[in-house]
Amino acid sequence: MAESQGFVIQNTMDEIIDGLYVGSSMAETDKEKLKSCSITHILTVASHYPPTHPEDFIYKSISIDDLPEENIIQYFPECNAFISDVLSVGGRILIHCMAGQSRSAAVTVAFIMQRDKLSLEDALQMVKEKRPQIYPNSGFLDQLELYYDLGYQVSANKPLYRRFLISHSAEHFKEYGSIEQVAAGADPSVHKGLPVQRLVRCKKCRRALVTETNILDHQAGAGQIAFSYKKRNSNGMDTPHAFPQNRACSSLFVEPMEWMDGVNEGLLENKIICPKCLAKLGAYNWAGAQCSCGKWITPSFQIHRNRVDEVRQR
């Protein structure tokens, strides 16, 4: 930072690692500064922000607001690939948002986490040493923690990421009354290669329905629970990667599944029917439903235990 007439002026851009700069919108508009730093590429992480110098630099734009509920993790793989390609050929890149504090910082931290296989805390500290004013919002920090838990691989094949997407869809429903996107669990009857220790089957026709990774864990009792993707639960305990169900409950609460009618069409509630014999298994509702133990589950994809068999496999 520099001082001018008693005021502290924050740098518009700072070099974090060799060839990678983080900055504000002022940095993106300062052509002279960009040229002096030999910038060749600009990654814009801001909402509806048009390039200022499209003839002078190669741009990539991610349109996203600086809000905790925004899904920024979905962009980490393509941003990482873009940054890696630039740096691998000796290019120099500016990553910017509006203030150069939240969105651009989150993308930069994600890149460094993946490149150096670092935790969120270590990567964040590394960036802060070069640009102290960075401050990703709380939702972005949660998603960066999730990124670490996912092993830096953003894929709907991973249960934790599906739970994040389900949680994101539930928040969208609360705000707008509609479902934006659904991350449905893989149908174990179709995807035969799934590693399975516990299988839930229709009691009438024995068709495979869900595995242990599709089941939502909750403790019996009053209160409310939602799909959780965070590393720690409300009690501070580590959230397991397999999700055992409380045996005292008369229902299983599961993820939305590929075979459920209406899930991919955005229906807000519907019956859950066995896709083979059409036996009624339960119901789902994005507004939630109450378990027999008193817990309110949001969203609720509820399968009655007396309609299915649970099989443990070696």
Side-chain angles (χ1 to χ4, degrees):
M1 290 186 288
E3 292 190 10
S4 176
Q5 297 180 348
F7 293 98
V8 177
I9 303 174
Q10 292 184 332
N11 293 336
T12 58
M13 56 190 286
D14 295 284
E15 189 172 22
I16 309 302
I17 59 175
D18 187 26
L20 189 159
Y21 291 77
V22 173
S24 65
S25 59
M26 290 179 63
E28 189 273 338
T29 60
D30 190 345
K31 184 176 176 180
E32 182 178 340
K33 176 70 172 177
L34 294 169
K35 290 292 187 181
S36 70
C37 293
S38 301
I39 297 297
T40 57
H41 295 69
I42 296 177
L43 173 56
T44 299
V45 192
S47 180
H48 307 295
Y49 187 102
T52 305
H53 311 289
E55 303 299 324
D56 299 283
F57 307 98
I58 299 172
Y59 280 83
K60 180 177 181 62
S61 296
I62 301 294
S63 184
I64 187 171
D65 292 318
D66 184 20
L67 299 171
E69 61 268 22
E70 285 279 9
N71 180 352
I72 196 170
I73 191 174
Q74 66 180 317
Y75 300 114
F76 289 168
E78 64 176 292
C79 288
N80 287 351
F82 182 72
I83 298 166
S84 295
D85 288 346
V86 172
L87 298 181
S88 67
V89 296
R92 300 174 70 80
I93 184 170
L94 167 68
I95 305 172
H96 84 93
C97 49
M98 296 306 294
Q101 294 180 327
S102 182
R103 288 166 286 190
S104 57
V107 166
T108 303
V109 169
F111 172 74
I112 291 173
M113 287 173 66
Q114 188 272 333
R115 187 195 70 160
D116 297 338
K117 301 299 182 283
L118 297 178
S119 68
L120 167 60
E121 292 78 9
D122 290 342
L124 193 63
Q125 182 59 35
M126 181 177 172
V127 178
K128 278 189 173 182
E129 287 175 359
K130 300 298 179 69
R131 188 171 175 83
Q133 67 265 43
I134 68 163
Y135 194 78
N137 70 51
S138 59
F140 292 173
L141 289 174
D142 284 342
Q143 291 175 59
L144 286 164
E145 186 69 50
L146 172 62
Y147 190 52
Y148 176 78
D149 291 341
L150 291 171
Y152 322 106
Q153 296 180 354
V154 181
S155 170
N157 292 328
K158 292 179 172 285
L160 283 177
Y161 185 59
R162 288 201 306 274
R163 290 177 190 278
F164 163 75
L165 292 176
I166 294 165
S167 176
H168 189 263
S169 294
E171 289 299 319
H172 189 274
F173 169 74
K174 285 168 58 178
E175 184 73 21
Y176 303 105
S178 63
I179 301 301
E180 188 175 30
Q181 69 178 108
V182 178
D187 185 344
S189 185
V190 175
H191 303 274
K192 301 293 187 180
L194 295 174
V196 175
Q197 293 179 329
R198 180 183 175 199
L199 187 66
V200 177
R201 306 183 304 187
C202 174
K203 181 169 285 189
K204 184 176 179 180
C205 70
R206 300 297 188 266
R207 187 201 191 273
L209 300 170
V210 299
T211 71
E212 72 275 0
T213 60
N214 307 122
I215 299 172
L216 174 65
D217 178 39
H218 71 276
Q219 298 298 317
Q224 182 169 349
I225 190 170
F227 277 82
S228 176
Y229 61 90
K230 298 179 183 178
K231 186 174 183 179
R232 294 184 177 274
N233 62 25
S234 58
N235 297 320
M237 302 290 289
D238 285 342
T239 301
H241 286 246
F243 301 86
Q245 177 77 16
N246 191 320
R247 298 297 304 182
C249 303
S250 63
S251 297
L252 293 168
F253 288 85
V254 302
E255 297 176 302
M257 300 296 294
E258 290 177 342
W259 53 265
M260 291 181 181
D261 284 342
V263 163
N264 292 322
E265 287 74 42
L267 289 186
L268 302 182
E269 58 180 308
N270 201 7
K271 296 176 182 178
I272 297 178
I273 304 294
C274 174
K276 182 177 179 181
C277 69
L278 304 183
K280 182 180 177 182
L281 306 174
Y284 66 82
N285 193 321
W286 281 92
Q290 192 170 37
C291 179
S292 60
C293 70
K295 207 74 152 182
W296 186 269
I297 313 292
T298 309
S300 166
F301 291 80
Q302 185 176 16
I303 294 177
H304 302 306
R305 266 206 159 96
N306 61 5
R307 305 294 176 86
V308 295
D309 291 322
E310 300 176 56
V311 181
R312 295 189 180 273
Q313 304 185 109
R314 295 181 180 178

